[in-house]
Coordinates of all heavy atoms in Angstrom, one line a residue:
M1 N 2.5 75.2 23.7 CA 2.8 75.8 22.4 C 3.1 77.2 22.6 O 2.3 78.0 23.0 CB 1.5 75.6 21.5 CG 0.9 74.2 21.4 SD 1.9 73.0 20.7 CE 2.6 72.1 22.1
H2 N 4.3 77.6 22.2 CA 4.8 78.9 22.6 C 4.3 80.0 21.6 O 4.4 79.9 20.4 CB 6.3 78.9 22.6 CG 6.9 80.1 23.3 ND1 8.3 80.4 23.2 CD2 6.4 81.1 24.1 CE1 8.5 81.5 23.9 NE2 7.4 81.9 24.5
H3 N 3.8 81.1 22.2 CA 3.5 82.3 21.5 C 2.5 82.2 20.4 O 2.8 82.5 19.2 CB 4.8 82.9 21.0 CG 4.7 84.4 20.8 ND1 4.1 85.0 19.7 CD2 5.3 85.5 21.4 CE1 4.2 86.3 19.7 NE2 4.9 86.6 20.8
L4 N 1.4 81.6 20.6 CA 0.3 81.6 19.6 C -0.3 83.0 19.6 O -0.5 83.6 20.6 CB -0.8 80.6 20.0 CG -0.4 79.1 20.1 CD1 -1.6 78.2 20.2 CD2 0.5 78.7 18.9
T5 N -0.5 83.5 18.4 CA -1.0 84.8 18.2 C -2.4 84.9 17.5 O -3.1 85.9 17.5 CB -0.1 85.7 17.4 OG1 0.2 85.1 16.1 CG2 1.3 85.9 18.1
D6 N -2.7 83.7 17.0 CA -3.9 83.6 16.1 C -4.3 82.2 15.9 O -3.4 81.3 16.0 CB -3.5 84.3 14.7 CG -4.5 84.3 13.7 OD1 -4.8 83.3 13.0 OD2 -5.2 85.4 13.6
V7 N -5.5 82.0 15.6 CA -6.0 80.6 15.4 C -5.3 80.0 14.2 O -5.1 78.7 14.1 CB -7.5 80.5 15.2 CG1 -7.9 81.2 13.9 CG2 -8.0 79.1 15.3
G8 N -4.8 80.8 13.2 CA -4.1 80.3 12.1 C -2.8 79.6 12.4 O -2.3 78.7 11.8
V9 N -2.1 80.1 13.5 CA -0.9 79.5 13.9 C -1.1 78.1 14.5 O -0.3 77.2 14.2 CB -0.2 80.4 15.0 CG1 1.1 79.8 15.4 CG2 0.1 81.8 14.4
W10 N -2.2 78.0 15.2 CA -2.6 76.7 15.8 C -2.9 75.8 14.6 O -2.6 74.6 14.6 CB -3.7 76.9 16.7 CG -4.4 75.6 17.2 CD1 -5.7 75.3 17.0 CD2 -3.8 74.5 17.8 NE1 -5.9 74.0 17.6 CE2 -4.8 73.5 18.1 CE3 -2.5 74.2 18.2 CZ2 -4.5 72.3 18.7 CZ3 -2.2 73.0 18.8 CH2 -3.2 72.0 19.1
E11 N -3.6 76.2 13.6 CA -4.0 75.4 12.4 C -2.7 74.9 11.7 O -2.7 73.8 11.2 CB -4.9 76.2 11.5 CG -6.3 76.5 12.0 CD -7.1 75.2 12.2 OE1 -6.8 74.2 11.5 OE2 -8.1 75.3 13.0
K12 N -1.7 75.8 11.7 CA -0.4 75.4 11.1 C 0.2 74.2 11.8 O 0.7 73.2 11.2 CB 0.5 76.5 11.0 CG 1.9 76.3 10.4 CD 2.9 77.3 10.7 CE 3.6 77.0 12.0 NZ 4.8 77.8 12.3
L13 N 0.1 74.2 13.1 CA 0.7 73.2 14.0 C -0.2 71.9 13.8 O 0.4 70.8 13.7 CB 0.6 73.6 15.4 CG 1.8 74.4 15.9 CD1 1.6 75.0 17.3 CD2 3.1 73.7 15.8
K14 N -1.5 72.0 13.7 CA -2.3 70.9 13.4 C -1.9 70.2 12.1 O -1.9 69.0 12.0 CB -3.8 71.3 13.4 CG -4.3 71.6 14.8 CD -5.6 72.3 14.8 CE -6.8 71.4 14.3 NZ -8.1 72.1 14.4
G15 N -1.6 71.1 11.1 CA -1.2 70.5 9.8 C 0.1 69.8 9.9 O 0.4 68.9 9.1
A16 N 0.9 70.1 10.9 CA 2.2 69.3 11.1 C 2.0 68.1 12.0 O 3.0 67.4 12.3 CB 3.2 70.3 11.7
G17 N 0.8 67.8 12.3 CA 0.5 66.6 13.1 C 0.6 66.7 14.6 O 0.8 65.7 15.3
I18 N 0.4 68.0 15.1 CA 0.7 68.2 16.5 C -0.3 67.4 17.4 O 0.1 66.9 18.5 CB 0.6 69.7 16.8 CG1 1.1 70.0 18.3 CG2 -0.9 70.2 16.7 CD1 2.5 69.8 18.5
E19 N -1.5 67.2 17.0 CA -2.5 66.5 17.9 C -2.1 65.1 18.1 O -2.2 64.6 19.3 CB -3.9 66.6 17.3 CG -4.5 68.1 17.3 CD -5.7 68.2 16.5 OE1 -5.7 68.0 15.2 OE2 -6.8 68.5 17.0
Q20 N -1.7 64.4 17.1 CA -1.3 63.0 17.3 C 0.0 62.9 18.0 O 0.2 62.1 18.9 CB -1.1 62.3 15.9 CG -0.6 60.9 15.9 CD -1.6 59.9 16.6 OE1 -2.8 60.2 16.6 NE2 -1.1 58.9 17.3
W21 N 0.9 63.9 17.8 CA 2.2 64.0 18.5 C 2.0 64.2 20.0 O 2.6 63.5 20.8 CB 3.0 65.1 17.9 CG 4.4 65.3 18.5 CD1 5.5 64.6 18.2 CD2 4.8 66.1 19.6 NE1 6.6 65.0 18.9 CE2 6.2 65.9 19.8 CE3 4.1 67.0 20.4 CZ2 6.9 66.6 20.8 CZ3 4.8 67.7 21.4 CH2 6.2 67.5 21.6
I22 N 1.1 65.1 20.4 CA 0.7 65.3 21.8 C 0.2 64.0 22.4 O 0.6 63.6 23.5 CB -0.3 66.4 21.9 CG1 0.4 67.8 21.6 CG2 -0.8 66.5 23.4 CD1 -0.6 68.9 21.4
K23 N -0.7 63.4 21.7 CA -1.3 62.1 22.2 C -0.3 61.1 22.5 O -0.3 60.4 23.6 CB -2.3 61.6 21.2 CG -3.1 60.3 21.6 CD -4.1 60.0 20.5 CE -4.9 58.7 20.9 NZ -4.1 57.5 20.9
E24 N 0.7 60.9 21.6 CA 1.7 59.9 21.8 C 2.6 60.3 23.0 O 3.0 59.4 23.8 CB 2.6 59.8 20.5 CG 1.8 59.2 19.4 CD 2.6 59.2 18.1 OE1 3.7 59.8 18.0 OE2 2.0 58.7 17.0
K25 N 2.9 61.6 23.1 CA 3.8 62.0 24.2 C 3.1 61.9 25.5 O 3.7 61.5 26.6 CB 4.3 63.4 24.0 CG 5.3 63.6 22.8 CD 6.6 62.9 23.1 CE 7.6 63.0 22.0 NZ 7.3 62.1 20.8
K26 N 1.9 62.1 25.6 CA 1.1 62.0 26.8 C 1.0 60.5 27.2 O 1.1 60.2 28.4 CB -0.2 62.7 26.8 CG -0.2 64.2 26.6 CD -1.5 64.9 26.7 CE -2.0 65.0 28.2 NZ -3.2 65.9 28.3
E27 N 0.7 59.7 26.3 CA 0.6 58.3 26.5 C 1.9 57.7 27.0 O 1.9 56.8 27.8 CB 0.1 57.5 25.3 CG -1.4 57.8 25.0 CD -1.8 57.1 23.7 OE1 -0.9 56.6 22.9 OE2 -3.0 57.1 23.4
A28 N 3.0 58.2 26.5 CA 4.3 57.7 26.9 C 4.8 58.4 28.2 O 5.9 58.0 28.8 CB 5.3 58.0 25.8
G29 N 4.0 59.3 28.8 CA 4.4 59.9 30.0 C 5.4 61.0 29.9 O 6.0 61.5 30.9
K30 N 5.7 61.4 28.7 CA 6.7 62.5 28.5 C 6.2 63.9 28.6 O 6.9 64.8 28.9 CB 7.4 62.3 27.1 CG 8.3 61.1 27.0 CD 9.1 61.1 25.7 CE 10.2 60.0 25.7 NZ 11.1 60.2 24.6
I31 N 4.9 64.0 28.4 CA 4.2 65.3 28.7 C 3.0 65.0 29.6 O 2.2 64.1 29.3 CB 3.7 65.9 27.4 CG1 4.9 66.4 26.5 CG2 2.8 67.1 27.7 CD1 4.5 66.9 25.1
R32 N 2.9 65.7 30.7 CA 1.9 65.4 31.6 C 0.7 66.4 31.5 O -0.5 66.0 31.8 CB 2.4 65.5 33.1 CG 3.5 64.4 33.3 CD 3.9 64.2 34.7 NE 4.8 63.1 34.8 CZ 5.4 62.7 36.0 NH1 5.1 63.4 37.1 NH2 6.2 61.6 36.0
N33 N 0.9 67.6 31.1 CA -0.1 68.6 30.8 C 0.2 69.4 29.6 O 1.4 69.8 29.4 CB -0.3 69.5 32.0 CG -0.7 68.8 33.3 OD1 -1.9 68.6 33.5 ND2 0.2 68.4 34.1
I34 N -0.7 69.6 28.7 CA -0.5 70.4 27.5 C -1.3 71.7 27.5 O -2.4 71.7 27.9 CB -0.8 69.5 26.2 CG1 -0.2 70.1 25.0 CG2 -2.3 69.4 26.1 CD1 1.3 70.0 24.9
G35 N -0.6 72.7 27.1 CA -1.2 74.1 27.1 C -0.7 74.9 26.0 O 0.1 74.5 25.1
F36 N -1.0 76.2 26.0 CA -0.4 77.2 25.1 C -0.3 78.5 25.7 O -1.0 78.9 26.6 CB -1.3 77.3 23.8 CG -2.7 77.8 24.1 CD1 -3.0 79.2 23.8 CD2 -3.7 77.0 24.6 CE1 -4.3 79.7 24.0 CE2 -5.0 77.6 24.8 CZ -5.3 78.9 24.6
S37 N 0.7 79.3 25.3 CA 0.9 80.6 25.7 C 0.4 81.5 24.6 O 0.6 81.2 23.4 CB 2.3 81.0 26.1 OG 3.2 80.9 25.0
Y38 N -0.2 82.7 24.9 CA -0.9 83.4 23.9 C -0.7 84.9 24.0 O -0.6 85.5 25.0 CB -2.4 83.2 24.1 CG -3.3 83.8 23.1 CD1 -3.5 83.3 21.8 CD2 -4.0 85.0 23.4 CE1 -4.3 83.9 20.9 CE2 -4.7 85.6 22.4 CZ -4.9 85.1 21.2 OH -5.7 85.7 20.2
H39 N -0.5 85.5 22.8 CA -0.5 86.9 22.6 C -1.3 87.3 21.4 O -0.9 86.9 20.2 CB 1.0 87.4 22.3 CG 1.9 87.4 23.5 ND1 1.8 88.3 24.5 CD2 2.8 86.5 23.9 CE1 2.7 88.0 25.4 NE2 3.3 86.9 25.1
G40 N -2.5 87.9 21.6 CA -3.4 88.2 20.5 C -4.6 88.7 21.1 O -4.7 89.1 22.3
N41 N -5.7 88.8 20.3 CA -6.9 89.3 20.9 C -7.8 88.2 21.5 O -7.6 87.0 21.4 CB -7.7 90.1 19.9 CG -8.2 89.3 18.7 OD1 -8.6 88.1 18.8 ND2 -8.1 89.9 17.5

């Protein structure tokens, strides 16, 4: 997840269904490892 600056940005992604989306992509083998890049405190 590119350039997270705040927990609110992550919450916005969760609202767009990112957790289920990641689950499906990992199960399909399209994403092997999931992470985030961060700029914030």
Side-chain angles (χ1 to χ4, degrees):
M1 308 294 102
H2 196 192
H3 203 287
L4 299 190
T5 57
D6 180 277
V7 70
V9 179
W10 169 238
E11 290 294 338
K12 183 196 80 170
L13 280 171
K14 287 166 68 176
I18 190 69
E19 291 171 295
Q20 180 61 29
W21 183 84
I22 292 169
K23 182 175 182 291
E24 292 172 358
K25 290 293 179 286
K26 292 187 82 169
E27 287 176 350
K30 290 192 169 186
I31 293 175
R32 298 190 172 179
N33 296 274
I34 196 72
F36 66 100
S37 67
Y38 183 78
H39 288 283
N41 62 38

